[in-house]
Amino acid sequence: MAYKDLHDSPFDESTIAKLEIFQDYAQAWIPTFVMQPHISEIHIFDFFAGTGYDKNGVAGSPIRILTKIQEQKGYLFQKNVNIVVHLNEFEPIKKKQQKFEQLKKSCSEFMEADSSLSSRVKIEYYNEDFETLFPKLISTIKDYPSLVYLDQNGIKFLSEKYFMELEKTSQTDFLYFVSSSYFWRFGKSDEFKIHLDIDMDEAKKNGYKKIHRTITRELRNKLPVYTKLKLYPFSLRKGVNIHGIIFGASHPRAVDKFLSIGWKRNGDNGDANFDIDDEAGNAQLDLFVGQKLSKIESFKQEVCDRIREGVIKNNFEMLNFVYEQGHIGKHAADCLKDMKSKGEINFIGSSSPSVTYDNVFKNKKKVEYQIIKK
Ligand SMILES: C[S@@+](CC[C@H](N)C(=O)[O-])C[C@H]1O[C@@H](n2cnc3c(N)ncnc32)[C@H](O)[C@@H]1O
């Protein structure tokens, strides 16, 4: 399948949204390891790095990664942590690898402009097909805290042979780019099925707009039963196409950070750069079904129901439910506070519902939700 070269024209709005999510995640990821004791080296991999900048000088993923590292340079020195950045760019078929040369130029100029950066940051450049490079680097990915970007064209490298290798890692977070609407069109073809076999009849039931969410859900179904890996989508509309990021990580802290980034970008649905759930018309009353609930409202209703039914009894269970549903703690906390103010529940051991990562996973502070019988 032929793909349009991303670097032939300036980055469009949806590419920039993707790159901003990449950079926001790097910003959140770097300090979680730098500030931990006993960690002296962390690794970031950008397997499809491009040229560094677009035609108008707008930064691409490698420069954005380096910028986020540079912003936290002080901590690297303070904590004696080194970062190795692995950058790969390869143009299949082409004899002259101009994009790779451009990548090296952009990044070395960036490094030269900040003389102290190179004593903490090392760049490894590669000019190889992902297919041959990934098996060579997977042991490094597994051995160190790693952040992996897979900003491919299309869908090919979402193939199970790579994806399942990442599933086996324990301290790796990854962000995959997928041209999900290609599945809608070609998902049943053999060319697609050799990479990823998805039940397209099932996938199409949710509609075209939600194809990226559906692909992510189908991938979850392929994971081993006892996997710790959690996957979350962020859909990106580009003209008529629906692309997206699939975020994967096994640590709840990583999940918390990615979900916060998504909800900050889109406060209505948290997982798309457009109105994926057709919520714009929700305010109008439907004569037959009444008011349609928004994604946040229906989640809050579910939170209330689960508390009243005694299915969720404390903040530990609540935060797990929040992450499972792709929400943030605040959405649950708002509704718990509301229930408390109406005299429906009490918080035992705290004045707040405490549905945060820090309370649950870091400080292990358990708060029981007691139902007040009337
Ligand atoms: C979507 S672009 C990545 C853009 C980049 N992240 C940026 O911000 O500029 C995908 C890149 O992967 C390169 N590429 C294509 N096939 C590849 C392969 N088999 N192995 C490695 N890189 C490949 C392309 O030349 C292209 O620059």
Side-chain angles (χ1 to χ4, degrees), residues 6-7 19 48-49 60-61 88-90 92 99 129-130 151 153:
L6 189 78
H7 302 98
L19 293 171
F48 303 87
S61 52
N88 180 49
E89 168 55 34
F90 179 69
K99 286 171 77 167
D129 194 326
F130 174 76
D151 190 12
N153 292 320

Side-chain angles (χ1 to χ4, degrees), residues 53 63 66 70 73 101 103-119 121-123 125:
Y53 297 94
I63 295 296
L66 292 175
Q70 188 184 38
K73 187 176 70 172
E101 293 307 323
L103 170 73
K104 280 198 295 186
K105 185 171 179 287
S106 310
C107 296
S108 49
E109 281 173 7
F110 184 96
M111 294 297 288
E112 278 156 23
D114 182 342
S115 56
S116 65
L117 197 57
S118 55
S119 57
V121 182
K122 189 171 153 209
I123 302 183
Y125 295 99

Side-chain angles (χ1 to χ4, degrees), residues 351-362:
S351 57
S352 77
S354 307
V355 200
T356 64
Y357 172 82
D358 279 2
N359 277 312
V360 173
F361 290 100
K362 203 169 155 197

Side-chain angles (χ1 to χ4, degrees), residues 288-306:
F288 300 103
V289 292
Q291 201 123 16
K292 203 179 142 210
L293 293 181
S294 71
K295 181 172 173 177
I296 297 180
E297 285 162 347
S298 34
F299 173 72
K300 286 183 176 174
Q301 197 169 72
E302 221 172 308
V303 166
C304 292
D305 289 348
R306 278 169 191 250

Side-chain angles (χ1 to χ4, degrees), residues 74-295:
Y75 296 119
L76 299 179
F77 281 100
Q78 201 182 319
K79 298 280 175 182
N80 273 328
V81 177
N82 294 321
I83 303 193
V84 185
V85 183
H86 303 259
L87 300 176
N88 180 49
E89 168 55 34
F90 179 69
E91 293 174 272
I93 319 169
K94 290 203 178 161
K95 216 170 177 182
K96 248 180 131 190
Q97 292 288 317
Q98 280 174 329
K99 286 171 77 167
F100 174 65
E101 293 307 323
Q102 187 57 47
L103 170 73
K104 280 198 295 186
K105 185 171 179 287
S106 310
C107 296
S108 49
E109 281 173 7
F110 184 96
M111 294 297 288
E112 278 156 23
D114 182 342
S115 56
S116 65
L117 197 57
S118 55
S119 57
R120 285 281 160 218
V121 182
K122 189 171 153 209
I123 302 183
E124 300 279 7
Y125 295 99
Y126 310 87
N127 178 217
E128 275 191 55
D129 194 326
F130 174 76
E131 214 164 322
T132 56
L133 183 62
F134 184 75
K136 290 183 200 165
L137 293 184
I138 189 68
S139 57
T140 314
I141 294 176
K142 284 180 180 163
D143 287 348
Y144 293 93
S146 297
L147 173 57
V148 177
Y149 291 97
L150 297 135
D151 190 12
Q152 63 176 335
N153 292 320
I155 62 105
K156 182 176 168 191
F157 299 114
L158 193 60
S159 148
E160 286 180 46
K161 79 175 157 186
Y162 309 115
F163 193 75
M164 290 305 172
E165 277 303 314
L166 289 169
E167 190 276 330
K168 290 184 207 145
T169 62
S170 60
Q171 41 181 359
T172 304
D173 300 354
F174 60 83
L175 293 105
Y176 247 111
F177 178 76
V178 193
S179 302
S180 293
S181 51
Y182 292 5
F183 277 102
W184 187 273
R185 278 180 261 158
F186 312 113
K188 281 186 172 179
S189 71
D190 290 342
E191 195 195 340
F192 260 61
K193 285 200 179 293
I194 49 165
H195 301 308
L196 193 64
D197 193 358
I198 279 181
D199 180 349
M200 284 314 299
D201 291 328
E202 197 50 43
K204 285 197 172 182
K205 285 183 187 161
N206 297 320
Y208 178 69
K209 269 176 140 185
K210 295 185 182 160
I211 186 66
H212 183 67
R213 267 190 194 164
T214 308
I215 298 295
T216 310
R217 196 194 59 205
E218 291 287 319
L219 272 172
R220 281 189 196 123
N221 294 339
K222 287 184 179 288
L223 296 174
V225 183
Y226 296 110
T227 187
K228 288 202 170 130
L229 180 66
K230 306 283 182 219
L231 301 177
Y232 294 92
F234 194 97
S235 301
L236 295 161
R237 186 162 64 187
K238 183 171 180 167
V240 294
N241 293 317
I242 307 287
H243 302 311
I245 293 168
I246 296 177
F247 171 77
S250 40
H251 200 289
R253 184 186 48 227
V255 168
D256 192 84
K257 289 189 184 304
F258 183 75
L259 291 173
S260 300
I261 289 168
W263 282 100
K264 210 168 155 195
R265 279 204 86 78
N266 190 327
D268 294 327
N269 57 50
D271 74 343
N273 73 341
F274 61 98
D275 183 13
I276 189 168
D277 296 308
D278 295 320
E279 294 188 295
N282 277 6
Q284 286 148 21
L285 198 68
D286 185 307
L287 279 179
F288 300 103
V289 292
Q291 201 123 16
K292 203 179 142 210
L293 293 181
S294 71
K295 181 172 173 177

